[in-house]
Amino acid sequence: MRNKLVAGNWKMFGSRAMTRSLVAGLAAEFADGAPCEIAVCPPFPYLAEACRGAEETPVTVGAQDVSDQDEGAFTGQVSGAMLAEIGCRYAIVGHSERRSLNGEGDALVAAKFIAAQRHGLTPILCVGESLEEREAERTEEVVGRQVRAVLAAAGIEAFGRAVIAYEPIWAIGTGRTASPEQAQAVHAFIRGLLRAENANIADLIKVLYGGSVKSANAAEIFAMPDVDGGLVGGASLEVEGFASICRA
C-alpha cells in the first residue's frame, strides 16, 4: 500500500514568526508519530527557517519552485543545489500559477523536474486543466500532454523518484472542489499513462489531489483508491486545520 503524503503550499503568505509557529505546531501535533508523510512548502525566504524547525520531526520541507539551471547568471532563480544544501526534500514544479502567470510551458517544467532530481530533490509535478478545458471534455488531453512531456524528457524510471499532483485549475482557491469521483477518474487516468510504461512505478508513485482541500472534504477525497494525499493551499496555513487534513 502506498504511503500518503500531505504537502502544504503556502504560496506568497507568511513571515519568519509564522513559519516557526506552524512548523513547531505541526511537530508538536505529531510528536508521537504522523499518520502520513507531511511536507510544508513556504516562500523562499523562509525555507531555511522551516528546515531548522523541522529537524528531527515528522515534518519535511519543500520549495515552491526550482530553477532548471544549476548555476550562473540567472538573477532571481534558485537552484536545486541551493535548496538541497539547506535541507529541502521536495520541489514543486509546474504549478498552475507558474504556468499561467509566468508562462512556463511543458518543456521548461520537464527541465525543472530533471534539475530537481539531479540534486536529490523529489519533484512534485503539478498537472491540471482549466474550467474551459474541462467543460470542453479535454481534461485527459491536457493532463496527458503535461505528463507525457515529462515522460519524454526524463523517462519512466524518473517517476520512481517523483510525486504527481493533480490540481484542477478551476478548483484552486475558488472554494469549488472536484468530487471524489472526478478526482479518482483523473488520478486513475494518470496512473494508467504510467502503467503503460512501467506497472511497478505506476503502482508505487504518489498521486496527490490539489484543489480547495480542507478538513471537511479531505477524508472523502483521500478514500479514493488512486488518491494518495493532497497538495493543500490555504488550509495549510493553520496548524489545527492542516493537522486534521493529515489525520484524514
Side-chain angles (χ1 to χ4, degrees), residues 192-206:
L193 287 180
L194 301 182
R195 185 169 288 115
E197 302 288 333
N198 185 305
N200 186 55
I201 288 174
D203 289 340
L204 293 177
I205 192 171
K206 295 179 182 69

Side-chain angles (χ1 to χ4, degrees), residues 173-226:
T174 64
R176 298 180 61 174
T177 309
S179 70
E181 293 75 20
Q182 286 174 319
Q184 167 59 24
V186 180
H187 282 229
F189 168 72
I190 292 169
R191 209 177 295 281
L193 287 180
L194 301 182
R195 185 169 288 115
E197 302 288 333
N198 185 305
N200 186 55
I201 288 174
D203 289 340
L204 293 177
I205 192 171
K206 295 179 182 69
V207 185
L208 313 183
Y209 172 76
S212 297
V213 178
K214 41 191 174 287
S215 55
N217 61 24
E220 189 178 14
I221 294 171
F222 295 169
M224 295 292 104
D226 287 298

